[in-house]
Amino acid sequence: MNYTYIVCCKDGSYYTGWTNDLIKRLEAHNSGKGAKYTRSRHPVTLVYYEEHFSKEEAMSREWQIKQLTRAQKIKIIQENFPDGVNLSKFDAE
């Protein structure tokens, strides 16, 4: 499975990316080994994600989300994860 995700950085900014291992990618962001943007802005908190069957779909959606305004990103986060993201589904993987 591939994922498009949004994390909230410690400065309140949002970072959007894609990965095929969401937990490992979050760990990389939070250890300072993730994207250049998040290295100085960790810890990050996962606030949104989508599942995709292909890498290409995930990358395409990442680009689409990056074109959104901050307000539009907040709206999709609130519409899809109003109570926050529950990562327990990834515990079994």
Side-chain angles (χ1 to χ4, degrees):
M1 191 61 61
N2 295 279
Y3 304 91
T4 302
Y5 64 91
I6 301 174
V7 294
C8 184
C9 301
K10 75 175 180 181
D11 66 359
S13 63
Y14 291 115
Y15 173 81
T16 304
W18 79 273
T19 185
N20 61 2
D21 187 333
L22 193 54
I23 298 301
K24 186 175 178 180
R25 188 65 175 150
L26 289 172
E27 290 170 354
H29 283 304
N30 282 320
S31 69
K33 297 177 184 171
K36 184 177 179 182
Y37 184 83
T38 61
R39 285 185 198 151
S40 63
R41 293 173 172 89
H42 66 298
V44 301
T45 304
L46 181 68
V47 294
Y48 178 81
Y49 72 93
E50 300 174 355
E51 296 179 342
H52 300 280
F53 288 108
S54 74
K55 170 184 168 181
E56 292 76 20
E57 289 173 332
M59 292 174 72
S60 175
R61 182 62 173 144
E62 174 193 16
W63 183 85
Q64 291 171 355
I65 291 173
K66 285 184 173 185
Q67 306 314 302
L68 299 177
T69 65
R70 179 178 174 83
Q72 291 169 320
K73 290 175 188 176
I74 291 170
K75 183 178 178 184
I76 66 168
I77 292 165
Q78 291 175 340
E79 287 175 349
N80 291 279
F81 295 98
D83 299 321
V85 175
N86 182 347
L87 293 175
S88 62
K89 77 170 256 172
F90 295 97
D91 290 341
E93 292 182 11

